[in-house]
mmCIF file of all heavy atoms in Angstrom:
data_model
loop_
_atom_site.group_PDB
_atom_site.id
_atom_site.type_symbol
_atom_site.label_atom_id
_atom_site.label_comp_id
_atom_site.label_asym_id
_atom_site.label_seq_id
_atom_site.Cartn_x
_atom_site.Cartn_y
_atom_site.Cartn_z
ATOM 1 N N GLY A 687 -4.478 -1.361 27.068
ATOM 2 C CA GLY A 687 -3.921 -2.603 27.641
ATOM 3 C C GLY A 687 -4.545 -2.990 28.972
ATOM 4 O O GLY A 687 -4.731 -4.189 29.348
ATOM 5 N N TYR A 688 -4.929 -2.053 29.699
ATOM 6 C CA TYR A 688 -5.548 -2.213 31.073
ATOM 7 C C TYR A 688 -6.888 -2.904 30.982
ATOM 8 O O TYR A 688 -7.774 -2.353 30.188
ATOM 9 C CB TYR A 688 -5.653 -0.851 31.809
ATOM 10 C CG TYR A 688 -6.379 -0.926 33.137
ATOM 11 C CD1 TYR A 688 -5.937 -1.673 34.175
ATOM 12 C CD2 TYR A 688 -7.577 -0.191 33.291
ATOM 13 C CE1 TYR A 688 -6.471 -1.747 35.429
ATOM 14 C CE2 TYR A 688 -8.170 -0.269 34.499
ATOM 15 C CZ TYR A 688 -7.732 -1.050 35.572
ATOM 16 O OH TYR A 688 -8.411 -1.064 36.767
ATOM 17 N N ASN A 689 -7.118 -3.958 31.672
ATOM 18 C CA ASN A 689 -8.444 -4.626 31.610
ATOM 19 C C ASN A 689 -9.132 -4.823 32.919
ATOM 20 O O ASN A 689 -10.127 -5.571 33.043
ATOM 21 C CB ASN A 689 -8.272 -5.962 30.821
ATOM 22 C CG ASN A 689 -7.447 -6.997 31.623
ATOM 23 O OD1 ASN A 689 -7.160 -6.833 32.847
ATOM 24 N ND2 ASN A 689 -7.139 -8.166 31.021
ATOM 25 N N GLY A 690 -8.586 -4.196 33.996
ATOM 26 C CA GLY A 690 -9.252 -4.297 35.252
ATOM 27 C C GLY A 690 -8.721 -5.373 36.167
ATOM 28 O O GLY A 690 -8.939 -5.395 37.332
ATOM 29 N N THR A 691 -8.072 -6.378 35.470
ATOM 30 C CA THR A 691 -7.538 -7.470 36.296
ATOM 31 C C THR A 691 -6.046 -7.656 36.083
ATOM 32 O O THR A 691 -5.417 -8.539 36.747
ATOM 33 C CB THR A 691 -8.200 -8.805 35.884
ATOM 34 O OG1 THR A 691 -7.717 -9.122 34.579
ATOM 35 C CG2 THR A 691 -9.715 -8.826 35.936
ATOM 36 N N ASN A 692 -5.393 -6.868 35.293
ATOM 37 C CA ASN A 692 -3.996 -7.065 35.012
ATOM 38 C C ASN A 692 -3.133 -5.925 35.510
ATOM 39 O O ASN A 692 -2.026 -5.719 35.080
ATOM 40 C CB ASN A 692 -3.752 -7.187 33.469
ATOM 41 C CG ASN A 692 -4.234 -5.996 32.702
ATOM 42 O OD1 ASN A 692 -4.773 -5.104 33.233
ATOM 43 N ND2 ASN A 692 -3.832 -6.012 31.451
ATOM 44 N N GLY A 693 -3.646 -5.171 36.504
ATOM 45 C CA GLY A 693 -2.858 -4.130 37.089
ATOM 46 C C GLY A 693 -3.774 -3.025 37.586
ATOM 47 O O GLY A 693 -4.901 -3.333 37.839
ATOM 48 N N TRP A 694 -3.245 -1.811 37.701
ATOM 49 C CA TRP A 694 -4.117 -0.661 38.202
ATOM 50 C C TRP A 694 -3.969 0.546 37.375
ATOM 51 O O TRP A 694 -2.915 0.805 36.755
ATOM 52 C CB TRP A 694 -3.676 -0.470 39.726
ATOM 53 C CG TRP A 694 -3.733 -1.608 40.513
ATOM 54 C CD1 TRP A 694 -4.916 -2.050 41.269
ATOM 55 C CD2 TRP A 694 -2.774 -2.619 40.796
ATOM 56 N NE1 TRP A 694 -4.686 -3.205 41.858
ATOM 57 C CE2 TRP A 694 -3.407 -3.582 41.667
ATOM 58 C CE3 TRP A 694 -1.513 -2.815 40.430
ATOM 59 C CZ2 TRP A 694 -2.685 -4.724 42.145
ATOM 60 C CZ3 TRP A 694 -0.751 -3.921 40.863
ATOM 61 C CH2 TRP A 694 -1.342 -4.831 41.687
ATOM 62 N N ALA A 695 -5.059 1.261 37.364
ATOM 63 C CA ALA A 695 -5.062 2.604 36.689
ATOM 64 C C ALA A 695 -4.834 3.727 37.616
ATOM 65 O O ALA A 695 -5.336 3.633 38.767
ATOM 66 C CB ALA A 695 -6.414 2.725 35.912
ATOM 67 N N ILE A 696 -4.171 4.744 37.243
ATOM 68 C CA ILE A 696 -3.994 5.989 37.976
ATOM 69 C C ILE A 696 -4.916 6.995 37.358
ATOM 70 O O ILE A 696 -4.872 7.218 36.237
ATOM 71 C CB ILE A 696 -2.573 6.422 37.941
ATOM 72 C CG1 ILE A 696 -1.628 5.456 38.586
ATOM 73 C CG2 ILE A 696 -2.470 7.818 38.668
ATOM 74 C CD1 ILE A 696 -0.162 5.768 38.430
ATOM 75 N N GLY A 697 -5.767 7.608 38.205
ATOM 76 C CA GLY A 697 -6.611 8.725 37.811
ATOM 77 C C GLY A 697 -7.627 8.190 36.839
ATOM 78 O O GLY A 697 -8.055 6.993 36.819
ATOM 79 N N THR A 698 -8.271 9.054 36.165
ATOM 80 C CA THR A 698 -9.407 8.739 35.260
ATOM 81 C C THR A 698 -9.146 9.371 33.861
ATOM 82 O O THR A 698 -8.095 9.955 33.640
ATOM 83 C CB THR A 698 -10.721 9.412 35.730
ATOM 84 O OG1 THR A 698 -10.585 10.813 35.729
ATOM 85 C CG2 THR A 698 -10.988 8.889 37.176
ATOM 86 N N ASN A 699 -10.159 9.145 32.973
ATOM 87 C CA ASN A 699 -9.965 9.802 31.684
ATOM 88 C C ASN A 699 -10.329 11.269 31.591
ATOM 89 O O ASN A 699 -10.506 11.838 30.565
ATOM 90 C CB ASN A 699 -10.769 9.071 30.684
ATOM 91 C CG ASN A 699 -10.217 7.605 30.458
ATOM 92 O OD1 ASN A 699 -9.132 7.432 30.797
ATOM 93 N ND2 ASN A 699 -11.085 6.755 29.940
ATOM 94 N N ALA A 700 -10.586 11.892 32.751
ATOM 95 C CA ALA A 700 -11.056 13.235 32.805
ATOM 96 C C ALA A 700 -10.069 14.232 32.256
ATOM 97 O O ALA A 700 -8.844 13.979 32.168
ATOM 98 C CB ALA A 700 -11.344 13.654 34.237
ATOM 99 N N ASN A 701 -10.593 15.333 31.682
ATOM 100 C CA ASN A 701 -9.755 16.473 31.332
ATOM 101 C C ASN A 701 -9.733 17.448 32.437
ATOM 102 O O ASN A 701 -10.812 17.692 33.061
ATOM 103 C CB ASN A 701 -10.271 17.125 29.977
ATOM 104 C CG ASN A 701 -10.146 16.229 28.851
ATOM 105 O OD1 ASN A 701 -9.157 15.494 28.690
ATOM 106 N ND2 ASN A 701 -11.238 16.130 28.059
ATOM 107 N N TYR A 702 -8.581 18.042 32.750
ATOM 108 C CA TYR A 702 -8.487 18.877 33.887
ATOM 109 C C TYR A 702 -8.307 20.321 33.547
ATOM 110 O O TYR A 702 -7.744 20.629 32.474
ATOM 111 C CB TYR A 702 -7.393 18.478 34.815
ATOM 112 C CG TYR A 702 -7.663 17.125 35.451
ATOM 113 C CD1 TYR A 702 -7.226 15.942 34.805
ATOM 114 C CD2 TYR A 702 -8.385 16.986 36.632
ATOM 115 C CE1 TYR A 702 -7.490 14.672 35.417
ATOM 116 C CE2 TYR A 702 -8.623 15.845 37.146
ATOM 117 C CZ TYR A 702 -8.261 14.646 36.594
ATOM 118 O OH TYR A 702 -8.518 13.411 37.174
ATOM 119 N N GLU A 703 -8.766 21.217 34.387
ATOM 120 C CA GLU A 703 -8.663 22.692 34.207
ATOM 121 C C GLU A 703 -7.225 23.160 34.192
ATOM 122 O O GLU A 703 -6.897 24.087 33.452
ATOM 123 C CB GLU A 703 -9.482 23.388 35.187
ATOM 124 C CG GLU A 703 -10.922 23.791 34.813
ATOM 125 C CD GLU A 703 -11.583 24.270 36.100
ATOM 126 O OE1 GLU A 703 -11.139 25.299 36.683
ATOM 127 O OE2 GLU A 703 -12.752 23.771 36.335
ATOM 128 N N SER A 704 -6.411 22.557 34.992
ATOM 129 C CA SER A 704 -5.026 23.007 35.168
ATOM 130 C C SER A 704 -4.205 21.827 35.500
ATOM 131 O O SER A 704 -4.670 20.758 35.973
ATOM 132 C CB SER A 704 -4.969 24.105 36.310
ATOM 133 O OG SER A 704 -5.001 23.457 37.557
#
Side-chain angles (χ1 to χ4, degrees):
Y688 172 63
N689 68 11
T691 67
N692 60 352
W694 300 273
I696 297 170
T698 63
N699 291 342
N701 293 317
Y702 293 93
E703 267 171 50
S704 72

